[in-house]
Amino acid sequence: QVQLVESGGGLVQAGGSLRLSCAASGRTLSTYATGWFRQAPGKEREFVAAISRSGDSIVYADSVKGRFTISRDNAKNTVYLQMNSLKPEDTAVYYCAADLFGIATKFKSRYDYWGPGTQVTVSS
């Protein structure tokens, strides 16, 4: 098993940037594909970005392409989500998820482990 904890969320003005981190423990994160999802109040949890174990496969939601960058540093057992040009519609709780067997995927059901989430609020 792996335990995931997100950090780096906060309040930022529209157009600003934040970098989210997903730190893993219990098992080396390099053995997992990792995804980022987000959930706004009253909305379903939606896919944001994913990266394969090796980093050779990356997928982004259309809404964040060109603005967000997912990366991983296996030496630090951490996955990152760099968020630039933030918009108010990016406001949500952001969750990190890990999949032991799959490659980068947008499907929530494919992920085995989830972090507790970190709040991102973008003001206009």
Side-chain angles (χ1 to χ4, degrees):
Q1 297 187 31
V2 62
Q3 292 78 47
L4 307 173
V5 179
E6 305 92 342
S7 63
L11 176 64
V12 65
Q13 192 174 48
S17 299
L18 286 173
R19 189 180 75 162
L20 305 184
S21 298
C22 175
S25 63
R27 190 179 178 91
T28 303
L29 190 60
S30 63
T31 63
Y32 297 84
T34 305
W36 286 95
F37 294 77
R38 65 188 183 187
Q39 187 168 23
K43 302 292 183 65
E44 295 184 16
R45 192 169 299 185
E46 67 176 359
F47 170 76
V48 176
I51 187 168
S52 64
R53 290 178 290 180
S54 64
D56 62 353
S57 180
I58 295 175
V59 182
Y60 294 101
D62 289 341
S63 60
V64 306
K65 286 181 179 178
R67 300 189 297 121
F68 291 11
T69 302
I70 188 171
S71 62
R72 65 192 307 155
D73 186 341
N74 288 336
K76 295 182 178 180
N77 217 25
T78 302
V79 172
Y80 303 97
L81 184 68
Q82 178 66 46
M83 305 185 296
N84 299 324
S85 301
L86 283 163
K87 305 174 181 179
E89 51 263 44
D90 295 319
T91 295
V93 176
Y94 283 71
Y95 298 90
C96 179
D99 174 17
L100 179 61
F101 300 106
I103 60 172
T105 178
K106 66 179 182 180
F107 299 108
K108 296 188 294 291
S109 62
R110 298 294 180 88
Y111 291 89
D112 302 299
Y113 305 101
W114 295 81
T118 185
Q119 177 71 47
V120 172
T121 302
V122 184
S123 63
S124 60

